[in-house]
Amino acid sequence: MSVMSAMSLRRHAAPVLVPASVGPVEERVATLSALRCGAAGTVTGVVADDPAVAQRLVDLGFVPGTPVETVRRAPLRDPVVYRVAGYEIALRKAQADCIRIAPTA
Amino acid sequence: MSDHCGPAEPAGVAVAGRRRIALVGSPNSGKTTLFNALTGLRAKTGNYPGVTVTRYQGVAETALGPVVLEDLPGTYSLTAISPDERIVAGVLDPADDSQDTPDALILTLDATTLRRSLRLAAQVLRADLPVCVVVTFTDELTRRQGRLDLAALGRALGVPVLAVVGGRRQQLGELRELLGGPATWSRPLVPPPLDAEAVSGWVDSVLASAGYAAPELDARTRRLDAVLLHPVGGTVVFLATMFVFFQTIFTLAAPVQGLIETGFAALGDQVRASIGVDWLAGLLADGVIGGVGGVVVFLPQIALLFVLISLLEGVGYLARAAFLMDRVMARAGLEGRAFVALLSSFACAIPGIMATRTLPSTRDRIATMMGAPLMTCSARLPVYVLLIGLLVPSDARVGPIGAQGLVMFGLYLGGAVSAMLTAWLFSRLGRSAGPALPFYMEMPPYRLPSARSVLLAVYDACRGFLAKVGKIILGTTVVLWLLLNLPAPSDAELARAGVDPADSSAVASYTIDHSLAADVGRAVEPVFEPLGFDWRINVGVLASLSAREVFVATMGQVAAATNPDDPSQALADLRVQDGPRAGEPLFTAPVLAALLVFFLYALQCMSTIAVLRRESGSWRWPAIAFTYLFALAWTMALLARVVVGAVT
């Protein structure tokens, strides 16, 4: 336990880079930003250039397997409020683009 | 406490040997409310070594004597991506020597967002420190038909767990009991997993063991958001809110500020009348009492601003306003929350810069602080009115619009555009130091903030301003008074110069013309010569460092105006004393334009510099701001002089 400091945690924390194109449903792969208002989906993965950003989005609740819903768009279209993990959070398009989802039919 | 904390470290809080406990939690988790409830009014603010992150420490009473409590910046994760979060990670890491590791941690978890919050809990429980969990908003969980078994949560996490709702006394008592002996706290037998997917499994199992039922959607929040975030309705409410907000700090504070100014002026007169020695009376009345008045006069604005901001933030509207404005502010490289700070700067840069505290990212905070002084504050108004009055005849019109008003509007617009461009530039420069931070903003449910938390925010802001900023403003005022009034001329000297000692405006003019400030004004003449400023204007510019509006009265004194508060006639009659333009009017159109533009850009305000020092934690940013704004002011003023000279 003594070596499990926050430092070692930071150093070894692997970003969750779940390939969005796994499985036979490749044509259904979309990002959160493409989800229209009121629609729901399930997070399939988080992909970002910066692993720390991907890690942060996961820490905010965008965990693979989690249901997510588009609640509201700002008057100028961006940002958008999403409901995930039991709370609401606003993301800009750049961040929503990182979140791969499978839309709920 | 180690020795690297420097002078910013509050004395009396960080006593060596006293136990230190740090509060960790995500933003909106009730962390600061709990901190305030435990420490009361004894919190001290300082800075973490080497960074622009404010450090809050206070003393909390526990069953076994006082402990030092530290309110760490709110964070959603220990995988740091911003300077604030690196502080939290550093504090929790015993191997990180730059920050002191506390003896124990209090982790606040919002019961209504437990699924997300437990991911932070997993990371915190891996730190090799005793942890006790405080679950907040359990009342709201129950109201929204959620369920949570605290004892079972404690068993599942392996650490002490208790609920504290809004700092209730009885629950706080239990917590104080617990804080007495962190050594006796239970620790998890097996630390939570590290791998993200394993953490998800761990969270699921903890939630299941604790019999957690997530709360239903908050009906009140949904109804309010349907209006407040509506594309049309929401925008209207937003504009109305900001209008009331701006009017309150601009107009409501004005009469109180007027009273304070009158009061301190009366006090000064009283002192002047009762002290026989002229220079001493002047120093006490104008330098010291005037300086104290110059500090106190900001308090109504600061208090009102923080009442409004902490209300809007506590209610949850600040996040909504930022959501609505985000796209617009993104153009300037900022985020929605910077809007309030820039709007406040129209009244005064002091509250504007203090309002940047609501911005979670240090880079945005600095970029907004660098832009804020360019917004046309109320202290520029008297200067603009005087100079525009000299530049443009009152009956001049452009079409149906008065030309004077048009110039004023242009100056406001120029200030706002320059502020946005500056903020954009500094946020771009900041970006080169690291990748852009991702934007995310929790939209908390609407909640009623306690009066206590609002008052504490106001008290904290005012006290911090008086203690840290007041000294600098008072010091500057006294030094400037000495420069402008020394050496005091003797009666013999006045007689030699043919000045009637009974004529106070003539004496004042003689004093200032032969003062140290005049020497300074002459010494810097080569710098300002290209702008058309002579040493007399330089003295006015120098004096305006204590407050921009002082320029008006100082120029009045320099020109020996019979009414120094309205010196336009005397100024219009001033002639250039020497050089190729000798004998011509000093205030020609090109010079006036240069002066207006100079006041638009230059950081002619020690109060702003002092508050920048306090809010950014070092002299680095105020020094940068003063330098670049001076260079910008000089260049733009030269440009204005050349352009106006060419067209007139």
Side-chain angles (χ1 to χ4, degrees), chain A residues 1-10 12-14 16 18 50 52-53 55-61 63-64 66 72-81 83-92 95, chain B residues 76-81 85-86 89-90 92-94 112-113 115-116 119 123 125-128 191 194 196 200 217 222 225-226 229 231 235 323-324 326-328 330 334-335 435 438-443:
Chain A
M1 182 61 190
S2 63
V3 288
M4 297 297 183
S5 62
M7 189 64 185
S8 65
L9 182 143
R10 191 168 58 205
H12 300 301
V16 190
V18 180
D50 183 353
V53 170
Q55 173 69 42
R56 172 54 46 91
L57 290 168
V58 170
D59 285 333
L60 288 170
V63 183
T66 311
R72 202 179 298 282
R73 269 177 209 283
L76 299 169
R77 313 288 299 153
D78 197 36
V80 176
V81 178
R83 186 176 300 122
V84 69
Y87 78 114
E88 292 183 357
I89 184 165
L91 299 180
R92 283 186 187 162
Q95 279 70 51
Chain B
Y76 291 103
S77 166
L78 293 186
T79 312
I81 52 175
E85 293 167 355
R86 267 189 280 282
L92 265 55
D93 181 4
T112 64
T113 63
R115 179 168 286 279
R116 186 205 69 217
R119 298 192 77 86
Q123 298 176 352
L125 289 175
R126 290 182 67 87
D128 191 19
L194 186 63
S200 304
L217 289 179
R222 202 162 32 165
D225 271 347
L229 295 182
T235 309
F323 172 71
L324 294 171
D326 187 69
R327 188 69 188 273
V328 177
L334 299 173
E335 56 144 302
F439 171 83
Y440 54 84
M441 184 171 59
E442 189 178 347
M443 308 292 269

Side-chain angles (χ1 to χ4, degrees), chain B residues 105-366:
Chain B
L105 301 173
I106 302 174
L107 170 66
T108 52
L109 297 178
D110 176 350
T112 64
T113 63
L114 203 55
R115 179 168 286 279
R116 186 205 69 217
S117 311
L118 280 177
R119 298 192 77 86
L120 175 65
Q123 298 176 352
V124 171
L125 289 175
R126 290 182 67 87
D128 191 19
L129 290 168
V131 177
C132 111
V133 167
V134 170
V135 181
T136 55
F137 299 111
T138 48
D139 56 339
E140 190 178 314
L141 181 73
T142 313
R143 183 170 63 73
R144 286 164 55 189
Q145 274 87 46
R147 214 162 9 87
L148 175 65
D149 181 343
L150 287 175
L153 180 66
R155 282 193 298 276
L157 294 175
V159 299
V161 170
L162 48 84
V164 177
V165 174
R168 274 185 207 150
R169 219 168 273 273
Q170 191 205 337
Q171 294 171 323
L172 278 179
E174 290 169 34
L175 181 58
R176 286 187 206 278
E177 196 77 30
L178 200 60
L179 293 181
T184 66
W185 296 355
S186 55
R187 313 273 282 262
L189 293 173
V190 183
L194 186 63
D195 171 71
E197 273 187 68
V199 168
S200 304
W202 179 82
V203 169
D204 284 338
S205 81
V206 169
L207 289 177
S209 326
Y212 184 66
E216 311 227 317
L217 289 179
D218 185 28
R220 184 172 58 182
T221 297
R222 202 162 32 165
R223 276 198 305 272
L224 279 169
D225 271 347
V227 178
L228 296 181
L229 295 182
H230 186 271
V232 179
T235 309
V236 171
V237 173
F238 169 76
L239 291 176
T241 309
M242 288 303 124
F243 179 77
V244 171
F245 182 94
F246 182 66
Q247 281 297 309
T248 309
I249 45 173
F250 202 81
T251 17
L252 206 63
V256 187
Q257 290 179 308
L259 275 180
I260 291 174
E261 277 169 350
T262 323
F264 275 93
L267 192 65
D269 290 343
Q270 202 74 38
V271 168
R272 217 190 305 268
S274 52
I275 295 180
V277 191
D278 273 355
W279 69 269
L280 184 62
L283 175 63
L284 285 177
D286 297 333
V288 178
I289 294 175
V292 173
V295 173
V296 177
V297 77
F298 286 113
L299 286 184
Q301 265 182 354
I302 291 172
L304 276 172
L305 175 85
F306 275 84
V307 166
L308 292 172
I309 283 194
S310 52
L311 268 178
L312 289 179
E313 193 175 26
V315 166
Y317 188 72
L318 213 54
R320 269 77 183 177
F323 172 71
L324 294 171
M325 279 311 287
D326 187 69
R327 188 69 188 273
V328 177
M329 298 306 286
R331 285 283 162 92
L334 299 173
E335 56 144 302
R337 279 167 277 202
F339 182 80
V340 171
L342 288 180
L343 181 77
S344 311
S345 303
F346 270 123
C348 175
I350 311 302
I353 288 166
M354 289 176 88
T356 59
R357 289 180 193 180
T358 54
L359 297 176
S361 134
T362 303
R363 190 180 300 167
D364 282 2
R365 228 158 26 223
I366 295 291

